[in-house]
Amino acid sequence: MAIIIRNSEPAYAGTRSLLASSPCRHLIGGRWVDASDGATFETHDPASGRLLARLACGTEDDADRAVEAARAALRNESWREMTPSARGKLLWRIAELIDTYADELAELETLDQGKPFKTGRLGEIPAAAEQFRYFAGFATKILGSTIPTSIAHQPAGRKIFSYTTREPVGVVAAIVSWNSPLLMAAMKLAPALTAGCTVVLKPAEETSLTALRLGEFLIEAGVPDGVVNIIMGYGETVGAALVAHSDVDKVAFTGSTEVGKLIVAAAQGNLKKLTLELGGKSPAIVLPDAEMGIAVPGIARGIFANTGQVCVAGSRVYAHRSLHEALLDGLAREAARLRLGHGLDPEADLGPLVSRAQAERVAGYVSEGISEGAELIAGGQGSGELGAFFEPTVVARVSPGMRMMREEIFGPVVAVTPFDDVEEALAYANDSPYGLAASIWTRDLSSAHRLSARICSGTVWINCHSYFSPELPKGGHKQSGWGYENGPQGLENYLETKTICVMI
Ligand code: NAD
């Protein structure tokens, strides 16, 4: 396995100064503060293993302080009475700061998460800015309605006049995963702030750095103190404290289905509102008339991008038997073409996984599958010596019951299985506890639309995979989640409705 490590030094002053500020602190009530007990933990560059910085390690007390600051900010006039237009402008300013510092943010994300610089710079960082821009437009369009009623027992000469208003849900705990750290944070903050909520953001312990830089931008943009608080640390401690906190009104979570279920249980105490963006095991169905020149690179991108650490990664491919072998050959060629390296090297197509633990987990799935009879077509090797790399991997003869076909691997591993007729493919595709996304590859758009209606998933792509935009609602069916992000639905999750009834 060839790995390119020619450049791992930060080029941007902002990155260097953030790393030099180690130990980095929480943002609570507009001030940068240490953990209540002074404890810190480390964050590393997963490509080289190098220590990047020490970070304040959140405690239950920190969760209390952050929630208290968010509650106070919710009551504060500077936020509560901010006009919709001013709130929209504030969100727009955050977007502009992200764009202005996009190179630096992409560099920070590469160092902390591992993804190639170009993946962040061309994709995720501008997409984070677009989240704020998209929702900024909604700030002036959050409307109630007047409602004619049919109440029979009104006193003579009087009538009931009724209307609704929309209100922020309140204090939101936003807890996010490590695969696309800044973008996941933006997907929570943008709709929450548009709705007038206040937030405690907890980034994943592996990838907190871009959230901290975002915190600096929020202050610069003029977000009032306490409206957004950022606390770092481990899920089982500070994350769990936020989820159980009696003064948190809603949890907006992106992460695994396993932790999603823990959150459902922990949120019972005060019946918090929940939105859960959870795991997936997304199928790609390749019909006999698929255009292979589009399907092969599209499916390869759908699984290998971000080294497979994408919730919607197309990790199960069901290919019609007539083109099964050709698809395997094509995917193997695509896998061999991708260059692994440090994300700051412009020649690297794929970076490492987020950590050695994740690389070992991926390797475990592959070796178990092979020992149970799956056939390795390409890749399959990891590098424990140099960071957390794992080769893009193609596996055939994976039976429906194998763990590598049923569980989310969250790495660059695709299992390919042949089918003979479309009902069989549909049954395979729907045979999963997950229902996040799917793709269909065919020249026959009528078949594609008919099939897409029968696939149990929140998104279906036709002749493409993994395309997102803030305008497109995104959410999981079955055990892939509750609620939606993006689109008008994404804002609804942060709003309550109040009905007002007046006798006139
Ligand atoms: P994870 O569930 O391990 O952790 C996610 C976050 O939850 C982290 O911030 C973690 O610290 C926190 N956490 C962990 N235990 C907690 C607890 N008991 N209480 C409160 N918080 C806790 O997920 P991960 O490994 O960071 O991310 C990968 C997962 O995220 C995959 O399953 C992937 O599919 C999913 N994901 C889903 C989407 C989506 O939109 N559906 C998007 C990205 C990632």
Side-chain angles (χ1 to χ4, degrees), residues 25-29 31-33 66 189 199-203 208 210-216 218 228-232:
R25 296 160 150 195
H26 305 312
L27 177 63
I28 299 180
R31 292 177 44 241
W32 296 99
V33 297
L189 287 177
V199 182
V200 179
L201 170 68
K202 195 204 82 64
S208 302
T210 47
L212 294 180
R213 193 72 178 106
L214 180 63
E216 293 173 354
L218 298 173
V228 178
N229 307 276
I230 302 173
I231 52 176
M232 298 166 287

Side-chain angles (χ1 to χ4, degrees), residues 176 178-179 202 205 235 253-256 277-279 311 408 474:
V176 295
W178 44 253
N179 54 323
K202 195 204 82 64
E205 47 270 47
F253 174 72
T254 297
S256 59
E277 297 288 331
L278 307 178
C311 54
E408 184 179 43
K474 165 182 176 297

Side-chain angles (χ1 to χ4, degrees), residues 29-299:
R31 292 177 44 241
W32 296 99
V33 297
D34 291 321
S36 62
D37 61 1
T40 59
F41 68 110
E42 297 180 346
T43 190
H44 294 93
D45 172 353
S48 63
R50 182 170 66 136
L51 174 67
L52 291 171
R54 299 194 70 84
L55 311 169
C57 188
T59 62
E60 208 174 317
D61 284 344
D62 295 335
D64 285 344
R65 284 194 290 166
V67 172
E68 205 177 302
R71 178 61 60 190
L74 193 67
R75 294 195 191 105
N76 194 315
E77 262 187 36
S78 64
W79 184 239
R80 202 185 65 220
E81 300 298 333
M82 187 178 279
T83 63
S85 165
R87 221 165 45 234
K89 284 181 190 150
L90 188 60
L91 269 94
W92 199 273
R93 278 201 293 280
I94 299 168
E96 286 183 336
L97 284 163
I98 293 174
D99 280 343
T100 303
Y101 294 99
D103 290 336
E104 183 190 302
L105 286 164
E107 181 180 69
L108 208 49
E109 206 79 293
T110 294
L111 286 170
D112 206 16
Q113 199 275 345
K115 69 184 70 237
F117 179 83
K118 56 194 169 197
T119 304
R121 181 62 188 85
L122 303 177
E124 294 181 14
I125 306 299
E130 284 310 312
Q131 283 287 325
F132 287 98
R133 243 178 231 117
Y134 174 76
F135 283 104
F138 274 111
T140 49
K141 296 160 201 76
I142 299 176
L143 307 175
S145 50
T146 54
I147 308 170
T149 56
S150 308
I151 302 168
H153 48 82
Q154 298 178 30
R158 310 291 295 270
K159 63 185 245 181
I160 297 291
F161 171 64
S162 306
Y163 62 96
T164 57
T165 57
R166 308 306 306 278
E167 296 182 349
V169 162
V171 173
V172 176
I175 300 179
V176 295
S177 58
W178 44 253
N179 54 323
S180 300
L182 185 75
L183 179 57
M184 294 298 138
M187 287 172 79
K188 308 276 181 272
L189 287 177
L193 297 182
T194 303
C197 295
T198 59
V199 182
V200 179
L201 170 68
K202 195 204 82 64
E205 47 270 47
E206 297 86 351
T207 55
S208 302
L209 295 181
T210 47
L212 294 180
R213 193 72 178 106
L214 180 63
E216 293 173 354
F217 298 157
L218 298 173
I219 294 171
E220 192 175 335
V223 174
D225 291 352
V227 168
V228 178
N229 307 276
I230 302 173
I231 52 176
M232 298 166 287
Y234 295 101
E236 311 83 69
T237 51
V238 73
L242 283 174
V243 169
H245 203 292
S246 59
D247 212 20
V248 168
D249 300 299
K250 171 187 165 75
V251 176
F253 174 72
T254 297
S256 59
T257 295
E258 187 189 352
V259 173
K261 289 179 183 178
L262 294 177
I263 289 176
V264 169
Q268 278 182 45
N270 64 337
L271 280 184
K272 290 176 186 67
K273 309 282 184 284
L274 295 178
T275 39
L276 304 172
E277 297 288 331
L278 307 178
K281 187 77 185 169
S282 300
I285 300 178
V286 189
L287 296 176
D289 65 346
E291 193 173 337
M292 294 296 269
I294 292 179
V296 168
I299 291 171

